[in-house]
Amino acid sequence: MKYLGIDSVRPRIAVFELTGCEGCELQLANKEETLAAFLDAVEVVNFREISSSSSDDYDIAFVDGAVSRADEVERLEVIREHAKVLVALGSCACFGGVSRLKNAFDLNEANREVYGDRPQETLPVRAVSEVVAVDLEIPGCPVSKDEVERIVQHLIWDVPYHFPAYPVCLECKQRYTVCTYEVGLLCLGPITRAGCNAPCPAGGLGCWGCRGPAVEANAEEFLTTVHERGFTNDEIAERMSFFGGFEGLLP
Amino acid sequence: MLFRILSRDRFRTLVETIMETTEVVAPKKVGVRSDGEPIHQFLPVADFDEMDLAHETTEHSAKTYFLPYRENLSTYAFSDDDWQQEVHYRIQPRAMVGLHACDINALLRLDKVFVRDHFPSPYYVSRRRNTLIIGIDHEPCEGGFCRSLGTDTVTRGFDLYLTDLGDRYFVAVGSDHGFDLLNQVGVAEISDRDTADYLEERKRIAGLFTTEVAVQNLPNLLDIEFESEVWKTWGAKCLGCGSCAMVCPTCYCYGTTERVSMDFSSGSKEKHLYACTVVDFAEVAGGHNFRPDRSTRLKYRYYHQHRGFVEAHDEPKCVGCNRCGRACLTGINPLDVIHDLQAEDEA
Amino acid sequence: MSTFNNAYDVSREAEMKEPLDFNRRSRLKHVDRVFKAEILNIIHLTEMEKLYQIRLLDPAERARFSFLPGQFVMLEVPGYGEIPISISSSPAKNGYLELCIRRAGVVTGALHRAQRGAKVGVRGPFGSHFPMEEMKNHNLLLVAGGLGLAPLRAPIFEVIDHRPDYGDVNILYGTREPAQLLFDYQYEEWGRIDDIDLRIIVEKPDPGWTGPTGMITELIGDLEIDPRRTFAIVCGPPVMFKSVCRHLVEIGVSMRRIFVSLERRMHCGMGKCCRCNVGSTFTCMDGPVFDYWAVMNLKEAI
Amino acid sequence: MRVDIDVRHLARIEGHGNIVVRIADGDLKEARWDVVETPRFFEVMLKGKHFSAAGILAARICGICSISHCLTAVRATERAFGVTVPDAAARLRLLAKHGETIQSHVLHFFFLAAPDFLGLSSAIPLVEADPEVLQRALRLKGLANRLCDAVAGRTTHPVAFQPGGVSMVPEKRVLSAIRNELEDGLDDLHATARLLATFEIPDFERETEFVALRGEREYPFIGGRLVSSDGVERAENEYLEMTNEAVVAGNTSKWSSLSRESYAVGPLARCNLNFELLHPEARQIAANLGLAPLCHNPFMAHVARLVECVHCAHEAIRLVDEIVSSGDEPAMVAVAPVAGEGVGAVEAPRGILFHHYRYGGDGRIESANCVVPTAQNNGNIHRDLPDFVRQMVESGVNDDQRLELLCSMLVRSYDPCLSCSVH
Ligand SMILES: Cc1cc2nc3c(=O)[nH]c(=O)nc-3n(C[C@H](O)[C@H](O)[C@H](O)COP(=O)(O)OP(=O)(O)OC[C@H]3O[C@@H](n4cnc5c(N)ncnc54)[C@H](O)[C@@H]3O)c2cc1C
Ligand code: SF4
Ligand code: SF4
Ligand code: SF4
């Protein structure tokens, strides 16, 4: 394709998974209407989950999942060496995700509970950026394919993409969802970064903060207002810790 | 203005006839608050009984049917290192039933910006002209201060406007289109008794509007209290979530973004409504932000409502529906903010 | 029975069928339709700035297109975005525009990669302009800092095209470093024109620099300005134009005769998106050119 | 003859597992299937969680069958509290379940399994080689995803299912639109059956015990009795007596066993144990493709998946019709936590899935256990391998590459989901 007098290149992309549920990788195969075009715009050279051929020569590496074992640290370092652009895909890769909940427990005891006297190797969960340098982070549990597409487009053609700076509420309101606070339920929407189109408030769950904090989230006032509504610090902290994105902002 | 009497049955016939060919949007009950109060929204209805015209207010205004939250402004087809632009306007007719006076007054204010001001917007004009509006008289909503803004009554901007007289509606006819529709279902001329009942009902309703806030001095006051602590106090509470602007019937500011298709064969320029309280509203390339703190951003929301708009269009942009006040989780609402400013001024 | 006998099609309105013209602010028109234009030449000015010479493709549109110095256009790079850019060329050249663009982000980045021949879109012209008529028979003081020289070129060309109508012209231009000086190939010409005096200053000289060094205010001090006979235009970053304007007011130039060009975020150019709104003022409609008195009243302006 | 197969991180399956096969001097020395996926300790993370979080957290065990995990967690919770969900909710849950089953099976068939039969390394070359097949895959997957989106709130990690029922009821007109798509989807499924008929399914049988839910009147998906093809029958609560999990060396996944060393769950097990409950059209397809109970060829799971897709599409149509013609009944009941235990059993796409929670009176989980389909299958895959290698070698396969491919295909026929199995 040629535009503005410039020929565009087809970047070689690779996808790797660490500790996670692979839901984010599944999203890469979603949005069926544009999947063929997506696969045409990039050259997938390494994506074990869907392809048995592989190569170490790639431009963009997507890494999903958190880091929770020594071999993952090694793999990640190799990936970092090969990749021109390393993208952390999903809340696990960006913040540690739900796996981070494990860090609250004694790992030896956890091991004993699950594996009895045959413990498995495991480390406290870390985000990808806590191990190697990351160029771009796409949060979400799971990520939205639309956002992935836009970021890939951004990487190929330099077309604009900005993560929304505003909180989930704005998108939630645009969906006409009845605010969960009206029915007395907790929601992290006011402090969470939008971009997901607010499915969880619409589903009656309220937002659980999977995308991490919005730009300059007003956590202080948020806490005041949810306290006034009868929610306790424990409840709020529990919710804010769920996906690992709010470290440092917890009550 | 012409007035007619429409029986309840005929009104049902009227709406049902419209529904046969045209999308009808009306207040619909969508949930129940923890305190047991129903929640209403303007939504498409497929059936007369899905409408709830006894609604106190709707959580969102009817704005999105005229200024959609997201709207495609133009599309581009790319090929051979070149592009062609295409622009389309919505021409799908729609009827909106159950708008209150404030909602219609809000449209009249938007008309000033998008129809009568410089650079009228064909997108807005086509939606407005393709929308039939049937309004209805009502009792005041909680916290609404429309009376102070003169928006508790309305005399234009609709096709039909109903006042419920129990067994029948007293109808103000605002357009030839409305007149034609009435004649198709059959209406009666008004009798003296109808007029008397109507005036009585109007008097009763008018007496119910008691929430007051003085707005006449605001343009000046906002300048005088520009550096006021009031802004810091209220600004600290702002979550920057944009909920106020999303539900407001007259907030219209927006941003544009462009998208391309995954094969770069087409692109579009999309408009999306924005909010002046959002952190990057006034940020420019290089990262400079003209309004870096919450209090300035909040202040400018009021500044636009009650000063800027007044200078440009001789009346405040706000219609006093208090939807923003109800939507704000931290309790920022125009009544209290304005009272505080005025108190500051007197102190 | 049909509720709507005819759906209303706004594009059938007579006004909408007239040739597109943004100079008539109060007519219904295809406000989002762009004039298609071609990049004729790209002139490298500095590492960050390039000058784009563009031409509207349609001859009729080209003939109709006119603007006044100080106005800007919304420049569209389809797929990338639309940005406000001051017109930096002579108003005498219908439909040929020069735009001086600094690489600052996505759209400007795309433009910097674009090749000669690429097609872009133009809407406009928009905004207020410098009062060239009023300025006639007066001395002009044109002060530019950095990229501020771009919007100043239109009035400079206007003066050159109508040289006898104006009095003495002083152009003061300052940048941080010599490498950032824009349009150096034109200084020679401007400086040689009768009664146009061009002075340039940089903050941080490099070894080859022979001119004066320091802030632009230092150049003003050396000038003889007759406050009653002078109009001033000051373009540049806020810190710079504030101090220059203050100085001019001190020496007695009327605030209504000092003009600045403001920048704000803009998404429409037509007073709709509110991104450039400052209280009651739309930078895109009431500005970008303001006199200093108006700026003082904007409160937030600077 | 000497064969050394060492597949590290087998491709086109979910998660990380290794195949090792060694034949020296014509003797099979070793044939192993090892799961090396990183453990996440979900059972530990679930501890202390409020019942409202159970389904949300459990969904994250698996991105592909998150709806099943969520529904199982919610069911276990409801059974602990003695809550019965309204019919309206049960219908919607089942509808979402069908969406997930179709989505997962279609994904597996076209993207993970078919490339082996078409001689490709992945489905990507289909973009050019056979766009019609790819488009069909995308239509079917898209349709299933839209169904999940509408009913579960999104395709992955549902938002609509909470203890007590369903918190978001889809609009009827959205469901009606999807119903039309489902009708068209059936045509695509028939075309897929014709494609599958051209695939060369390896001829391999090993006598296996199959475990699944047993439906009474309907093909089972959510809850019911647990049965095995060796005649064991248990109640949902007695799942531990069916699964008998054990930790094995070199594996982060546990293995299960019942009457024999290992057993199998999944579409083939379900079909084998509930064949007569399938929709007639699904049974017809099974017959056309040579699937009849009891089938002991693990590769026939490909057929079973397609058969289930046809069944689910028909069932989804029937459910949509029921929902559209029903009134606006409540889809949620209030839930009051009580101290107690509950087990939920659900047929996830890859087989029977159990969650078991013990709750304290405060509505927080005291202990949790999850037994996941692939964990039950892993032992069986491992035991299939040596027999399979032997049979293949006997039938004349003698080069490493071919044998490696066949072994990989054997593992893939189970559609293992390893991150799920390790959780
Ligand atoms: C009246 C006016 C005249 C201007 N004239 C010139 C000129 O002659 N030469 C020049 O180089 N620059 C000029 N600018 C600044 C120029 O518009 C910005 O540098 C440009 O918008 C940056 O766009 P971007 O996409 O590259 O940057 P990004 O940071 O990627 O911007 C993204 C979007 O933000 C908005 N935006 C960001 N910065 C600005 C800004 N400063 N002003 C308005 N909108 C912004 C735009 O909508 C843009 O599309 C002018 C600005 C204004 C208001
Ligand atoms: S439900 Fe949550 S995201 Fe939506 S408006 Fe309310 S607080 Fe914001
Ligand atoms: S609403 Fe909240 S929890 Fe749900 S997807 Fe968005 S950010 Fe994540
Ligand atoms: S500012 Fe608030 S009260 Fe005024 S019109 Fe908007 S939503 Fe209503």
Side-chain angles (χ1 to χ4, degrees), chain A residues 168 192-193 196 198-201 207-211 243, chain D residues 154:
Chain A
V168 171
T192 302
R193 185 192 277 284
C196 55
C200 309
C207 171
W208 286 59
C210 79
R211 291 171 59 86
F243 288 104
Chain D
R154 64 177 168 198

Side-chain angles (χ1 to χ4, degrees), chain B residues 59 61 63 102 106 109 143-146 149 243-251 301-302 305-306 317-327 333-335:
Chain B
E59 192 153 280
S61 64
K63 170 175 74 180
C102 65
R109 280 162 167 68
F145 51 102
C146 47
L149 289 151
S243 291
C244 52
M246 293 305 115
V247 300
C248 176
T250 58
C251 274
R301 181 153 192 275
Y302 282 84
Q305 305 274 5
H306 293 285
K317 184 168 91 55
C318 175
V319 294
C321 66
N322 196 35
R323 285 190 173 95
C324 58
R326 275 188 295 267
N333 67 88
L335 278 178

Side-chain angles (χ1 to χ4, degrees), chain A residues 168-169 172-173 178-181 187 189-190 201, chain B residues 243 329:
Chain A
V168 171
C169 294
C172 184
K173 283 280 182 278
V178 171
C179 181
T180 57
Y181 285 104
C187 176
Chain B
S243 291
L329 288 173

Side-chain angles (χ1 to χ4, degrees), chain C residues 241-298:
Chain C
F241 78 66
K242 258 197 289 190
S243 65
V244 172
C245 291
R246 236 179 264 135
H247 176 86
L248 293 175
V249 173
E250 265 166 38
I251 62 168
V253 183
S254 156
M255 288 200 271
R256 307 296 303 268
R257 285 185 171 187
I258 306 172
F259 294 88
V260 303
S261 177
L262 293 189
E263 275 193 22
R264 273 294 187 285
R265 189 171 182 136
M266 287 177 191
H267 286 261
C268 71
M270 305 179 293
K272 299 282 182 276
C273 77
C274 297
R275 303 304 282 265
C276 72
N277 183 288
V278 189
S280 46
T281 304
F282 282 90
T283 314
C284 65
M285 298 275 292
D286 309 316
V289 173
F290 292 99
D291 67 33
Y292 192 51
W293 168 244
V295 172
M296 300 269 291
N297 278 284
L298 285 183

Side-chain angles (χ1 to χ4, degrees), chain C residues 49 100 102 142-153 156 171-177 180-183 187 198-203 214-217 219-220 233-244 259-261 263:
Chain C
E49 285 97 3
C100 168
R102 168 178 291 175
L142 309 176
V143 188
L147 191 56
L149 189 56
L152 267 192
R153 280 176 86 232
I156 293 175
I171 305 175
L172 308 182
Y173 179 40
T175 59
R176 188 115 46 92
E177 296 158 27
Q180 294 171 343
L181 289 168
L182 300 171
F183 305 107
Y187 304 160
L198 171 70
R199 298 185 196 191
I200 297 172
I201 191 166
V202 300
E203 282 171 48
M215 308 296 278
I216 200 151
T217 32
L219 290 182
I220 302 186
I233 301 178
V234 189
C235 290
V239 268
M240 170 248 156
F241 78 66
K242 258 197 289 190
S243 65
V244 172
F259 294 88
V260 303
S261 177
E263 275 193 22

Side-chain angles (χ1 to χ4, degrees), chain B residues 76 108 118 169 247:
Chain B
Y76 292 95
L108 292 172
H118 298 309
Y169 291 106
V247 300

